Amino acid sequence: MYDKGLTYLSLTILRTPNRHSIFHWLRLPSLLSVGLLLFFVGVPEVHAQKGKKATHRQQPAGKTKKAPASKASAKGAPRQQKPVAQKKTVSKKTVSTRRPVARKSSATEGDEIVIKQSRQQLEAEKQRNQERITEINRVLDQTATKKTATLTELKALNSKIETKTKQIDLLSQDISLLNTEMKGLAVQSSGLARDLKNLKKEYAAMVFAASKTANTYNKLSFLFSANSFNSLVMRYQYLRQYTDARKNQARHIEQVRGELNTKQQTIKYKQVRKKDVLTAQVKESESLEATKDRQAVVVQELSKQESTLKSELNERRKSIDRLDNMIQLVIEREIRRAAREREERLRRERIARQQAEEREAAAKARAEAAAKAAAAPTPEKAKEILDKADEALAKAPSAEEVVKSKAEARAISAAPESEAGATFGSSRGRLPWPVRSGYISEHFGVHSPMPGISMRNLGVDIATNVGEPVRAVYDGIVRNVTSMSGVGTVVMIQHGEYFTIYAKLASASVSEGQRVSARQAIGTAKPDPDGGAEINFQVWKGNGKLNPEGWLAGK
């Protein structure tokens, strides 16, 4: 049908004697170009018509009324303005088919990034907390073999209660974060549903407008009603753009529908996740209450052993005092040694500087003597002047002696512990743990494990496995290795003006004066009478005690 119509239309144009037609002055090649142009305009529409049902192919009222308009359009300008007006009207609809909210605002993207980072931090903290609970349960299993309650068990229960409480708080934060995420997803879903509704409405308007000109002859009449060849080309381009706009609108609808489905599925997942978190929070609360009940039983049993317990604590205080005094003596010794080295370095630098000055003065005097000798009246006088200058130069320090003195001064200032101390202070919060497996069972400072009893810790106690390798946390020099009653073997390492102490070791694998590197094994954890193992870790700066928890990296 399309080929017959095109042939008939071409013959009609060639036979038309109307001199006002735009094709009257066109030559045959131009007519062929126009024919080819019309062919490519019509071919896609013909293929599109084949896929439609018979009900869609029959357009009774709209198409029959358009045919006379195409014939009348060639008679005058007023008839030719209608298609142009129709073009402008539909063009506005084409522009409005762009998605209103196709892109996320910068504020929304920033909120999503913050929520994602909060989620990652929260999950990491929950994972670390759960690992600590597992380690505490392992220690409690070891102490469970004892028939009577022990102080080690009480410390483990206190740590478990602290960790469980923190875990419940983290689960509450998780629920709050899930609510925030679901609220944001609901807002986004609402916006997408609104966009989808608008896109469908606009697409329906485009389809309705296109249905009025769905017939190929109506499109041809729209093209041939142009008053110039340029206008015909512009109308052809408009038809192509309008068709592309409809396709883009359909793609946008599918894209928004897919995004909306994804958001809805994510909301459902978050709801299930929230339910699981609430269940976990209830279980943690029940476990916390059970732990508190066990803590009360242990405290009651230990209260019956008050005299024995106080005796043990007194021995521990004495051991801590002895350890404290030993550490201070070693630190004072190292401070004095460092002061002597500093004085020796300054002395050697002063000597090296004096030698260099004497050598430079003697060399300058020798050069002046050479100038005087050249101006001497007699050779004997010149020789006498040079001999005196050579004798003074020989008494001055040699160049080798000057270089040696400077090297010795630099060697003292570049001591290994000075090099280590230069960067230890900047490693706060990033030091590795002295043991691979373990948790802090007793914190820094004074605290009370049970009513009526207070304890002082110079550092932190870390519960770990029996025989667990103990490692240096930083490069340094071993300054003391000793054994003491109540604290086992003690290793003390210097890092410039900082010191790290490792107590309650079963044995040491390093010796005094040895240089060690970070994570190098220096001994093993000592078992305690309760069946577990615990080491004491301390950090000092000069004579001042520091809280080691602020120096260790997160675990």
Side-chain angles (χ1 to χ4, degrees):
M1 181 184 294
Y2 172 74
D3 295 337
K4 293 180 179 180
L6 182 61
T7 304
Y8 175 77
L9 182 62
S10 302
L11 292 174
T12 302
I13 293 172
L14 292 175
R15 295 173 181 176
T16 300
N18 189 359
R19 295 182 178 273
H20 296 285
S21 173
I22 61 171
F23 297 99
H24 177 73
W25 49 272
L26 294 177
R27 295 181 180 180
L28 184 59
S30 299
L31 290 174
L32 292 177
S33 299
V34 173
L36 291 174
L37 178 64
L38 296 178
F39 175 79
F40 286 111
V41 171
V43 168
E45 295 298 327
V46 171
H47 286 290
Q49 293 289 338
K50 291 180 180 179
K52 295 182 181 180
K53 294 181 180 180
T55 56
H56 292 281
R57 287 198 301 264
Q58 297 175 359
Q59 303 290 340
K63 295 184 180 180
T64 55
K65 293 181 180 180
K66 293 288 181 175
S70 61
K71 295 180 180 180
S73 60
K75 295 181 179 180
R79 291 290 185 178
Q80 297 175 356
Q81 297 300 322
K82 283 188 177 182
V84 177
Q86 183 184 3
K87 174 183 175 181
K88 292 181 180 180
T89 303
V90 180
S91 178
K92 291 181 181 179
K93 292 184 179 181
T94 304
V95 175
S96 64
T97 57
R98 296 181 181 178
R99 291 179 53 189
V101 190
R103 300 177 182 175
K104 297 179 182 178
S105 64
S106 59
T108 304
E109 292 178 350
D111 293 341
E112 290 184 356
I113 292 174
V114 171
I115 291 175
K116 184 177 180 181
Q117 292 175 348
S118 300
R119 167 64 60 190
Q120 292 174 349
Q121 294 174 358
L122 182 62
E123 293 298 333
E125 186 68 19
K126 286 168 59 180
Q127 181 65 25
R128 289 194 295 267
N129 225 42
Q130 191 60 46
E131 291 174 356
R132 185 181 180 190
I133 292 174
T134 303
E135 293 174 346
I136 295 173
N137 290 333
R138 176 181 50 77
V139 173
L140 289 173
D141 292 339
Q142 294 175 352
T143 58
T145 58
K146 298 292 180 180
K147 295 181 180 180
T148 59
T150 62
L151 192 59
T152 301
E153 183 182 4
L154 179 60
K155 290 168 61 177
L157 288 171
N158 291 339
S159 298
K160 186 174 182 179
I161 290 173
E162 178 187 353
T163 308
K164 285 282 185 181
T165 303
K166 185 177 180 181
Q167 188 74 355
I168 292 173
D169 292 339
L170 291 174
L171 290 173
S172 298
Q173 295 178 23
D174 196 354
I175 293 173
S176 178
L177 187 59
L178 284 170
N179 289 333
T180 302
E181 292 173 347
M182 287 190 292
K183 183 178 179 181
L185 289 170
V187 173
Q188 295 176 12
S189 298
S190 177
L192 289 172
R194 185 168 55 253
D195 292 348
L196 184 60
K197 181 179 179 181
N198 293 336
L199 287 171
K200 287 182 176 180
K201 183 178 179 181
E202 293 173 358
Y203 187 72
M206 295 177 67
V207 172
F208 178 75
S211 66
K212 297 179 179 180
T213 58
N215 191 285
T216 305
Y217 294 111
N218 289 337
K219 292 186 177 180
L220 291 176
S221 64
F222 172 70
L223 289 174
F224 285 109
S225 63
N227 56 6
S228 66
F229 184 78
N230 290 338
S231 177
L232 182 144
V233 174
M234 291 177 63
R235 293 187 180 198
Y236 163 73
Q237 292 176 350
Y238 158 74
L239 290 176
R240 295 293 298 270
Q241 292 175 0
Y242 190 74
T243 303
D244 293 341
R246 288 173 55 187
K247 294 179 181 178
N248 291 335
Q249 190 78 350
R251 283 196 296 267
H252 287 164
I253 291 174
E254 292 301 323
Q255 182 181 355
V256 172
R257 183 183 289 113
E259 292 179 4
L260 180 59
N261 291 336
T262 301
K263 297 296 182 185
Q264 291 174 346
Q265 293 297 325
T266 306
I267 291 175
K268 292 180 180 179
Y269 168 76
K270 296 292 183 183
Q271 291 173 345
V272 175
R273 172 66 179 166
K274 180 180 178 180
K275 184 178 179 180
D276 295 340
V277 173
L278 287 171
T279 304
Q281 189 178 35
V282 172
K283 290 182 179 179
E284 290 293 341
S285 300
E286 294 174 352
S287 177
L288 177 61
E289 292 301 322
T291 305
K292 288 182 177 179
D293 293 340
R294 176 57 186 168
Q295 180 196 40
V297 173
V298 171
V299 170
Q300 185 177 3
E301 291 182 5
L302 290 175
S303 299
K304 297 176 182 179
Q305 310 170 19
E306 185 175 356
S307 58
T308 305
L309 187 59
K310 286 184 176 180
S311 176
E312 292 179 0
L313 293 178
N314 287 332
E315 289 297 326
R316 175 176 175 173
R317 290 192 187 97
K318 293 178 182 179
S319 301
I320 291 175
D321 291 339
R322 289 194 298 268
L323 178 61
D324 191 8
N325 294 333
M326 185 273 293
I327 293 172
Q328 290 185 3
L329 289 175
V330 173
I331 290 177
E332 290 174 358
R333 183 192 70 188
E334 294 303 319
I335 290 176
R336 291 193 298 270
R337 183 185 60 81
R340 290 195 301 269
E341 289 182 351
R342 183 168 55 254
E343 293 176 358
E344 179 65 16
R345 182 181 69 253
L346 293 175
R347 187 184 68 83
R348 289 180 180 272
E349 289 177 351
R350 185 171 57 255
I351 292 174
R353 187 166 54 253
Q354 291 175 354
Q355 289 178 345
E357 291 175 354
E358 291 176 4
R359 178 71 182 177
E360 183 178 357
K364 185 177 180 181
R366 177 66 175 79
E368 293 176 353
K372 291 181 180 180
T378 60
E380 291 78 9
K381 186 64 177 178
K383 185 175 182 304
E384 180 183 356
I385 293 173
L386 292 175
D387 290 342
K388 288 182 180 181
D390 291 339
E391 183 179 356
L393 183 61
K395 292 179 180 180
S398 63
E400 292 77 8
E401 291 176 344
V402 173
V403 172
K404 183 179 179 181
S405 298
K406 290 181 178 180
E408 291 175 352
R410 286 195 299 268
I412 296 176
S413 62
E417 60 271 19
S418 300
E419 296 176 359
T423 55
F424 185 91
S426 61
S427 300
R428 185 180 183 89
R430 297 186 288 111
L431 294 178
W433 279 54
V435 289
R436 292 182 182 274
S437 175
Y439 66 93
I440 295 177
S441 58
E442 189 173 291
H443 299 280
F444 174 79
V446 179
H447 51 89
S448 177
M450 59 181 292
I453 296 178
S454 61
M455 304 173 66
R456 181 172 66 98
N457 200 326
L458 303 179
V460 292
D461 287 343
I462 302 177
T464 185
N465 301 319
V466 176
E468 179 78 15
V470 181
R471 310 173 299 170
V473 298
Y474 207 80
D475 299 345
I477 302 294
V478 179
R479 289 304 178 191
N480 191 49
V481 179
T482 186
S483 295
M484 302 179 65
S485 175
V487 293
T489 302
V490 181
V491 176
M492 189 172 179
I493 301 177
Q494 182 181 7
H495 318 276
E497 59 179 341
Y498 293 90
F499 295 85
T500 54
I501 293 88
Y502 312 79
K504 296 185 180 181
L505 305 185
S507 60
S509 56
V510 293
S511 57
E512 187 173 338
Q514 179 181 344
R515 182 165 188 176
V516 295
S517 58
R519 295 183 175 85
Q520 178 180 339
I522 59 175
T524 56
K526 177 185 176 182
D528 57 32
D530 299 330
E534 192 177 63
I535 70 165
N536 182 259
F537 175 67
Q538 303 178 27
V539 178
W540 291 57
K541 181 180 182 181
N543 289 320
K545 307 176 186 67
L546 304 177
N547 186 354
E549 290 188 59
W551 289 83
L552 295 176
K555 187 178 180 182

